[in-house]
Amino acid sequence: MPASPPCCSGPRPRPPRSRHSARPRPTRRRGRCAPRRKLDAAEAGLARARDALWAKLDPIGRRNLDLALQAWRRFRDRECDLETGSDAEHPDRNGTILPMRVGDCAAALTERRIRDLTDQLACPGGDLSCPQ
C-alpha cells in the first residue's frame, strides 16, 4: 500500500457548521482516508488473530507464520493492483479514485485473511490440516 495521505495521519479539527450550511462538504479528503482507516482497522484485527495463533505454535510454526504473513501481504498488494488496474510503476497515471479502490480491496482481503487465521485457531488437536 502506498503511504497514507496526510489527512489520515491523525485527528483534524473541524470548523463548526450550521445544519443548513451552503458550503458543500469536502469529499475528496474523506474519500482518500476512509479506505486507509478501514485497512488500519483490518490490520489491527489481523495482528490480534496472528498473536492468538502465534501462542499455539512451536518455534518453527511461529517462523513459518511470520514468513507466510509477509508473503501474504505482498500477494494482497499485487492482487489489489490486478483487481483495480493500478499501475504501481507509474502511480501518477492511476487517477484520484484508484487509491480508494485499492484500499477497499486490501481491507477486504485482510478481513478474509483474519477469517482464515481464526479458522486455524479453532482446529481441534490432532487435525493434521491444522498448523502444528
Side-chain angles (χ1 to χ4, degrees):
M1 282 292 309
S4 62
C7 65
C8 300
S9 59
R12 59 185 185 277
R14 290 182 176 237
R17 289 189 174 268
S18 75
R19 192 174 132 179
H20 302 289
S21 176
R23 235 175 50 196
R25 293 180 181 255
T27 57
R28 194 169 92 188
R29 178 184 297 173
R30 188 174 43 223
R32 285 191 319 227
C33 294
R36 185 71 219 180
R37 287 187 195 112
K38 188 175 178 182
L39 179 58
D40 288 345
E43 281 287 342
L46 182 62
R48 285 189 300 274
R50 177 243 180 234
D51 290 347
L53 186 56
W54 173 273
K56 285 181 60 173
L57 300 173
D58 63 10
I60 294 170
R62 291 174 177 177
R63 185 193 67 211
N64 289 339
L65 176 61
D66 285 341
L67 292 172
L69 283 175
Q70 288 172 10
W72 178 84
R73 281 190 174 100
R74 287 189 303 271
F75 161 79
R76 176 196 63 192
D77 295 344
R78 296 301 70 80
E79 181 70 13
C80 288
D81 288 346
L82 175 64
E83 286 184 22
T84 61
S86 177
D87 185 349
E89 292 182 21
H90 304 97
D92 55 317
R93 298 180 188 169
N94 288 331
T96 58
I97 193 74
L98 197 65
M100 186 173 83
R101 292 182 60 218
V102 171
D104 285 342
C105 172
L109 289 178
T110 302
E111 289 165 2
R112 191 176 312 152
R113 184 66 179 156
I114 291 168
R115 286 191 302 273
D116 293 343
L117 294 180
T118 303
D119 289 348
Q120 289 181 14
L121 275 170
C123 288
D127 185 345
L128 297 179
S129 67
C130 292
Q132 302 297 316

